C-alpha cells in the first residue's frame, strides 16, 4: 500500500540550518558586508500560480515556521566547513556569520487574505510576505521563506502525494543525464516539497554519480546549490551571484545604464578574478549586459582608488571594508569546477565618477570582464537564441578561450541534452543547474513532448499530476528606490511597473516572449485547466 504524506509526520518540519539555503545568498552577503552594510531594502513575494492558494491552516503553520527562523544560529561545525570548502568567503565575513541571527518578528510581515471567510481552517486565500531591513540583515530570508511556503502548500493543501520511489526516480534522472555526458548540479531548494524530498533527491543523485564514475562516463554531478546538503553529502556547494545583486546596485546608484558594470566591478573587487566567475546576464536584458561585459577592468591600483572614492549611500567607509582573502586581495578557492580560472589579479569596486566609466570602456587595453569571467548563466528567454548571441559576442570580441554556459531555467533531462549538444557545437562548455524538475516538478509546459518527463509526483488517488508552485521573492526596493528585474522574457519582469517601463525605454530594451515563457503554466496546468502560448518576435 502506498504511503501518503500523512504517514511521514515524524519527519522534521521547516528549516533547521541557516546553511539550508543557496550558496549565492552567502556570497552576496559577504560582498554586501564589505561594501554596502547599511543599505535599507525590502523584498516582496509573488505567486506566479495564483490559482494555487494556501488554506488558513497552511498559513498558520507558515507563520509559526517563520518565527522559528529567529532561533537558528550557524554552528561551529558549519563555520569550519565554510572555512575549508568556501575559502573565498572572507574571514571577517565568517566571523560575522558565526553570530548572525535573523529577526523575523521585526523583519518579516506575513498576512492572509480570504475572499470567502467561513471561519474554517480549510478556507483558502492569498498570502503576502514582505521583508524589510538592512540588506546585510535580510538577504538570507528568500530561500527559506520560499521553501517553507512550498512545504506549507504540500503539507496542508495538496496532500494526495507520497515519497514512493522518489530516490529511485532521482537516480534514474541522474543516470540519464550523466550517461549522456551532462554536467549538472542540484538547484531545487526554493520550490521543494519539504526537506525530506530534497534529501531523497540528493541520495538518488549521489548514488547515480557513483555509478557514473564506475562506468567512466563524462557526465557528472558537480554539486548542489544548497550548502547544507552539499556539506551532508560531501559534494561541492555551487553558485555565484543572483539577479538581486544587480538589482540592488542599480537601485542604490539609480544608474541603470552603468549598473551591470558597477555590479561586476564590485563582485570582482570582493572575490578576485576567476573566482565565482559565472556572470548572470539577464537582469536588465542580455544585450544591455553585454555592453558592460566588454568593458575593461581597471588596474589593481585604480581599483583601490575607486574603493576609497566610493560614496554611495550605505557604503562602508574604507577603514571598515572587509579585506580580501590575503594581503594581495587574492582568493584561492573557487565556487565549483565550472567557475575555475588561473587568473590571479583582484580589482576593486565601481567609481561613482562618470568620466571614469567612460575611461574604462573597451579600448583594447587591459582585459575585459568577458575575458576575466569563466562564462555566463542563461536564466530566461530562448536558450538556443542565447547560445547564438553569446557565440557572436565572444567572436566579435576576439575571445578564443572556451567559455562556459550554465543553463538554469526550467530544465529537465531532455532539455539538458538538447542544450548540451547545441552549446558544444557552438564551442562552449555547457553545465546545468536543475531545480524544480528534481525536487517538485512533474508536468511539462506547452510545446514540449510529454515523453520528455520522468514522472515524479502524482496524486495517489487518481495518478494525475501534482504540480509545483511557481513562487518567487524578489528585492523590491533598495535605498528607498524601486528595484526591478527585466530579464530576457516578459513573463519574468519583476518590480514597479513604471520603473520597468522607464528602464526599458532608457536601455532600448526590445520586448521578447517565447513559447515556454508563460510563468503561470511553467510546469503544466492542473486538471481541466487550459492554456495557450504564443511566440512573438
Amino acid at each position: 500500500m502506498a504511503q501518503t504524506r500523512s504517514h511521514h509526520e515524524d519527519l522534521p518540519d521547516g528549516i533547521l540550518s541557516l546553511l539550508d539555503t543557496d550558496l549565492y545568498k552567502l556570497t552576496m552577503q559577504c560582498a554586501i558586508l564589505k561594501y554596502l552594510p547599511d543599505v535599507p531594502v525590502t523584498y516582496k513575494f509573488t505567486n506566479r500560480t495564483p490559482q494555487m492558494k494556501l488554506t488558513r491552516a497552511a498559513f498558520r503553520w507558515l507563520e509559526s515556521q517563520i518565527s522559528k527562523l529567529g532561533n537558528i544560529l550557524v554552528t561551529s561545525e558549519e563555520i569550519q566547513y565554510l572555512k575549508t570548502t568556501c575559502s573565498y568567503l572572507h574571514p571577517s565575513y565568517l566571523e560575522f556569520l558565526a553570530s548572525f541571527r535573523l529577526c523575523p518578528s521585526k523583519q518579516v510581515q506575513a498576512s492572509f487574505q480570504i475572499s470567502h471567510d467561513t471561519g474554517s481552517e480549510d478556507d483558502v486565500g492569498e498570502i503576502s510576505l514582505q521583508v524589510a531591513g538592512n540588506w546585510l540583515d535580510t538577504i538570507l530570508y528568500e530561500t527559506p521563506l520560499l521553501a517553507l511556503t512550498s512545504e506549507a502548500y504540500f503539507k496542508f493543501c495538496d496532500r494526495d502525494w507520497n515519497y514512493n520511489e522518489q530516490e529511485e526516480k532521482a537516480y534514474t534522472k541522474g543516470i540519464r543525464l550523466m550517461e549522456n555526458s551532462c554536467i549538472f548540479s542540484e538547484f531545487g531548494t526554493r520550490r521543494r516539497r519539504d526537506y525530506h524530498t530534497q534529501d531523497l533527491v540528493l541520495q538518488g543523485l549521489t548514488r547515480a554519480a557513483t555509478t557514473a564514475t564506475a562506468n567512466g562516463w563524462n557526465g557528472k554531478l558537480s554539486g548542489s546549490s544548497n550548502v547544507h546538503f552539499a556539506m551532508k553529502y560531501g559534494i561541492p556547494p555551487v553558485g555565484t551571484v543572483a539577479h538581486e545583486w544587480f538589482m540592488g546596485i542599480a537601485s542604490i546608484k539609480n544608474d541603470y545604464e552603468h549598473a551591470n558594470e558597477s555590479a561586476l566591478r564590485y563582485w570582482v573587487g570582493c572575490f578576485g578574478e576567476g573566482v565565482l566567475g559565472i556572470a548572470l546576464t539577464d537582469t536588465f536584458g542580455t544585450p544591455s549586459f553585454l555592453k558592460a561585459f566588454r568593458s575593461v577592468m581597471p588596474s589593481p591600483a585604480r581599483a583601490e582608488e575607486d574603493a576609497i572614492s566610493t560614496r554611495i549611500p550605505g557604503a562602508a567607509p574604507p577603514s571598515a571594508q572587509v579585506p580580501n582573502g590575503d594581503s594581495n586581495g587574492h582568493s584561492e578557492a573557487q565556487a565549483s569546477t565550472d567557475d575555475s580560472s588561473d587568473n590571479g589579479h583582484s580589482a576593486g569596486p565601481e567609481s561613482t565618477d562618470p568620466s571614469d566609466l567612460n575611461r574604462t570602456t573597451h579600448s583594447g587595453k587591459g582585459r575585459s570582464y568577458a575575458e576575466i569571467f569563466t562564462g555566463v548563466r542563461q536564466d530566461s528567454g530562448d536558450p538556443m537564441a542565447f547560445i547564438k548571441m553569446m557565440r557572436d559576442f565572444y567572436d566579435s570580441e576576439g575571445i578564443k578561450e572556451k567559455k562556459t554556459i550554465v543553463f538554469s531555467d526550467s530544465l529537465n533531462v531532455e532539455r539538458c541534452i538538447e542544450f548540451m549538444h547545441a552549446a558544444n557545437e557552438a564551442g562552449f562548455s555547457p553545465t546545468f543547474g536543475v531545480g524544480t524538475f528534481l525536487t517538485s516538478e512533474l508536468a511539462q509546459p506547452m510545446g514540449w513532448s510529454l515523453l520528455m518527463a520522468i514522472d515524479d509526483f502524482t496524486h495517489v488517488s487518481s495518478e494525475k499530476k501534482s504540480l509545483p508552485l511557481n513562487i518567487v521573492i524578489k528585492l523590491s526596493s533598495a535605498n528607498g528606490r524601486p528595484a526591478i528585474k527585466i530579464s530576457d522574457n516578459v513573463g519574468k519582469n519583476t518590480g514597479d511597473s513604471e520603473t520597468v517601463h522607464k528602464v526599458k525605454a532608457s536601455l532600448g530594451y526590445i520586448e521578447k516572449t517565447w513559447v515556454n515563457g508563460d510563468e503561470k503554466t511553467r510546469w503544466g496546468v492542473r486538471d481541466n485547466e487550459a492554456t495557450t502560448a504564443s511566440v512573438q518576435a
Side-chain angles (χ1 to χ4, degrees):
M1 178 179 177
Q3 290 185 320
T4 61
R5 177 66 178 84
S6 61
H7 290 90
H8 294 269
E9 297 300 332
D10 57 328
L11 296 171
D13 283 338
I15 304 295
L16 303 178
S17 168
L18 284 181
L19 297 195
D20 187 6
T21 193
D22 294 312
L23 175 64
Y24 62 36
K25 302 302 289 188
L26 302 184
T27 57
M28 289 189 294
Q29 191 181 39
C30 179
I32 291 166
L33 176 65
K34 178 172 183 175
Y35 294 125
L36 303 162
D38 300 317
V39 173
V41 301
T42 59
Y43 294 84
K44 184 179 180 181
F45 169 86
T46 300
N47 183 359
R48 292 171 173 167
T49 45
Q51 73 278 8
M52 301 169 73
K53 303 179 188 299
L54 264 60
T55 63
R56 191 195 308 272
F59 177 72
R60 292 189 195 281
W61 179 89
L62 177 60
E63 276 191 308
S64 70
Q65 293 299 321
I66 291 173
S67 69
K68 293 178 182 178
L69 293 176
N71 300 328
I72 305 172
L73 285 170
V74 180
T75 67
S76 58
E77 181 184 7
E78 289 172 329
I79 291 295
Q80 185 57 47
Y81 169 79
L82 293 175
K83 287 181 180 178
T84 303
T85 308
C86 307
S87 56
Y88 43 81
L89 296 175
H90 304 158
S92 296
Y93 170 67
L94 295 180
E95 182 180 352
F96 162 83
L97 188 64
S99 60
F100 177 78
R101 190 188 293 267
L102 295 169
C103 188
S105 63
K106 296 181 179 179
Q107 297 163 337
V108 182
Q109 288 187 339
S111 62
F112 185 60
Q113 184 173 359
I114 300 175
S115 55
H116 181 63
D117 193 345
T118 69
S120 168
E121 289 294 287
D122 293 328
D123 286 344
V124 297
E126 297 180 358
I127 67 168
S128 171
L129 296 174
Q130 297 187 43
V131 178
N134 282 347
W135 201 3
L136 180 67
D137 302 325
T138 57
I139 189 170
L140 297 190
Y141 277 113
E142 178 191 358
T143 302
L145 287 181
L146 289 172
L148 288 171
T149 302
S150 182
E151 183 172 353
Y153 180 82
F154 288 106
K155 186 178 180 69
F156 291 92
C157 306
D158 181 357
R159 295 172 54 85
D160 190 18
W161 58 277
N162 60 42
Y163 301 111
N164 288 357
E165 300 182 0
Q166 291 308 313
E167 179 186 349
E168 189 63 31
K169 290 171 182 176
Y171 173 81
T172 301
K173 291 176 183 179
I175 290 295
R176 287 188 62 197
L177 287 166
M178 287 182 272
E179 70 182 358
N180 282 282
S181 300
C182 290
I183 299 173
F184 72 100
S185 55
E186 184 274 325
F187 269 36
T189 302
R190 58 191 53 215
R191 296 188 184 106
R192 71 190 186 195
R193 299 199 168 210
D194 55 18
Y195 178 96
H196 186 56
T197 300
Q198 192 169 11
D199 199 29
L200 290 173
V201 167
L202 266 300
Q203 290 175 35
L205 293 180
T206 52
R207 185 159 58 91
T210 300
T211 300
T213 300
N215 287 317
W217 296 339
N218 291 327
K220 68 176 182 178
L221 173 65
S222 60
S224 172
S225 66
N226 185 297
V227 184
H228 165 77
F229 279 113
M231 179 179 174
K232 180 175 181 178
Y233 286 98
I235 58 179
V238 298
T240 51
V241 68
H243 298 101
E244 177 181 354
W245 179 248
F246 295 87
M247 294 167 68
I249 296 295
S251 181
I252 292 164
K253 293 175 71 69
N254 197 28
D255 179 2
Y256 285 86
E257 182 180 356
H258 302 116
N260 283 308
E261 186 181 1
S262 298
L264 288 170
R265 194 179 302 193
Y266 272 100
W267 195 254
V268 177
C270 185
F271 298 107
E273 294 183 18
V275 181
L276 302 172
I278 296 296
L280 183 57
T281 68
D282 68 332
T283 308
F284 308 117
T286 294
S288 174
F289 175 85
L290 295 181
K291 294 177 182 178
F293 208 37
R294 62 166 47 97
S295 300
V296 173
M297 278 291 301
S299 68
R302 179 59 190 173
E304 289 302 315
E305 293 177 17
D306 289 347
I308 295 171
S309 66
T310 297
R311 290 293 183 269
I312 65 176
S319 60
Q321 290 181 356
V322 179
N324 282 330
D326 61 31
S327 60
N328 295 319
H330 300 165
S331 176
E332 297 176 357
Q334 295 158 345
S336 72
T337 54
D338 300 332
D339 294 349
S340 60
S341 173
D342 292 329
N343 302 323
H345 300 293
S346 171
E350 169 68 8
S351 169
T352 55
D353 181 358
S355 65
D356 185 60
L357 288 167
N358 294 330
R359 183 190 67 78
T360 60
T361 55
H362 190 60
S363 62
K365 297 179 181 179
R367 303 178 69 225
S368 68
Y369 294 100
E371 292 173 289
I372 290 166
F373 275 74
T374 307
V376 294
R377 176 156 73 96
Q378 190 272 336
D379 196 56
S380 65
D382 185 341
M384 294 300 189
F386 183 85
I387 293 171
K388 183 180 184 304
M389 185 188 305
M390 293 311 306
R391 182 70 278 152
D392 291 345
F393 170 78
Y394 283 120
D395 288 346
S396 69
E397 295 299 301
I399 296 173
K400 304 300 183 183
E401 177 187 357
K402 193 171 188 178
K403 297 292 186 177
T404 296
I405 296 181
V406 179
F407 297 91
S408 60
D409 187 25
S410 300
L411 299 171
N412 61 25
V413 171
E414 294 301 327
R415 292 177 211 174
C416 289
I417 295 172
E418 179 186 5
F419 302 157
M420 179 194 68
H421 288 311
N424 280 334
E425 289 176 6
F428 292 106
S429 296
T431 68
F432 304 90
V434 187
T436 305
F437 178 61
L438 294 173
T439 58
S440 194
E441 190 265 354
L442 172 78
Q444 299 300 108
M446 295 281 292
W448 293 96
S449 168
L450 290 176
L451 294 176
M452 292 180 180
I454 300 177
D455 284 358
D456 291 321
F457 295 100
T458 58
H459 289 147
V460 175
S461 62
S462 66
E463 296 188 356
K464 292 181 179 180
K465 312 304 186 185
S466 175
L467 299 178
L469 293 171
N470 187 353
I471 51 178
V472 295
I473 292 176
K474 295 294 183 183
L475 194 72
S476 56
S477 72
N479 198 40
R481 299 189 188 93
I484 65 163
K485 178 170 78 78
I486 297 175
S487 84
D488 289 331
N489 174 44
V490 66
K492 286 193 169 185
N493 287 182
T494 301
D496 177 69
S497 58
E498 182 179 354
T499 304
V500 169
H501 178 75
K502 289 180 179 179
V503 172
K504 285 181 177 181
S506 68
L507 297 179
Y509 179 86
I510 299 175
E511 205 72 73
K512 294 181 179 180
T513 61
W514 68 299
V515 68
N516 292 292
D518 187 344
E519 294 301 317
K520 293 182 180 180
T521 57
R522 174 55 61 114
W523 296 292
V525 295
R526 295 193 299 180
D527 302 339
N528 302 321
E529 288 181 349
T531 182
T532 59
S534 60
V535 181
Q536 300 177 0

